[in-house]
Amino acid sequence: ISSPTGNVVLNLPFTSATTSEYDSRYTGNFWINGGDSAINGNLFCQVESNSSSVTIYEGTGAANAWWADCFDASTDFFFQLTYIT
């Protein structure tokens, strides 16, 4: 990845259900193995209502574009997420 911008977002196989504004945020756990040591284990993922993607956040709730610059070919991603479709 050269000069990454924006949040780290992964595509999901199904679109999440459309429900009311705040009860439709689904969260899960996200782990990274390898890559830059600047990334710590304090990450989580979140899916919004009517979305087919999951955004990765720090434990503080910040989505940071610089994370993508820390990944390399040897970086492994693991995430656990349950959401309603």
Side-chain angles (χ1 to χ4, degrees):
I1 300 173
S2 63
S3 303
T5 60
N7 298 327
V8 176
V9 178
L10 304 173
N11 293 326
L12 297 171
F14 304 104
T15 301
S16 64
T18 302
T19 58
S20 65
E21 186 176 351
Y22 292 108
D23 67 349
S24 59
R25 293 184 179 168
Y26 310 103
T27 60
N29 298 310
F30 189 83
W31 299 273
I32 297 173
N33 183 33
D36 193 309
S37 61
I39 301 175
N40 295 317
N42 193 21
L43 303 173
F44 70 95
C45 53
Q46 181 171 308
V47 178
E48 301 287 338
S49 174
N50 194 34
S51 177
S52 60
S53 62
V54 57
T55 304
I56 311 307
Y57 293 93
E58 280 188 290
T60 60
N64 291 309
W66 63 266
W67 290 339
D69 200 29
C70 297
F71 304 155
D72 59 29
S74 65
T75 305
D76 296 317
F77 302 92
F78 306 92
F79 66 98
Q80 175 276 322
L81 174 68
T82 302
Y83 64 103
I84 300 171
T85 60

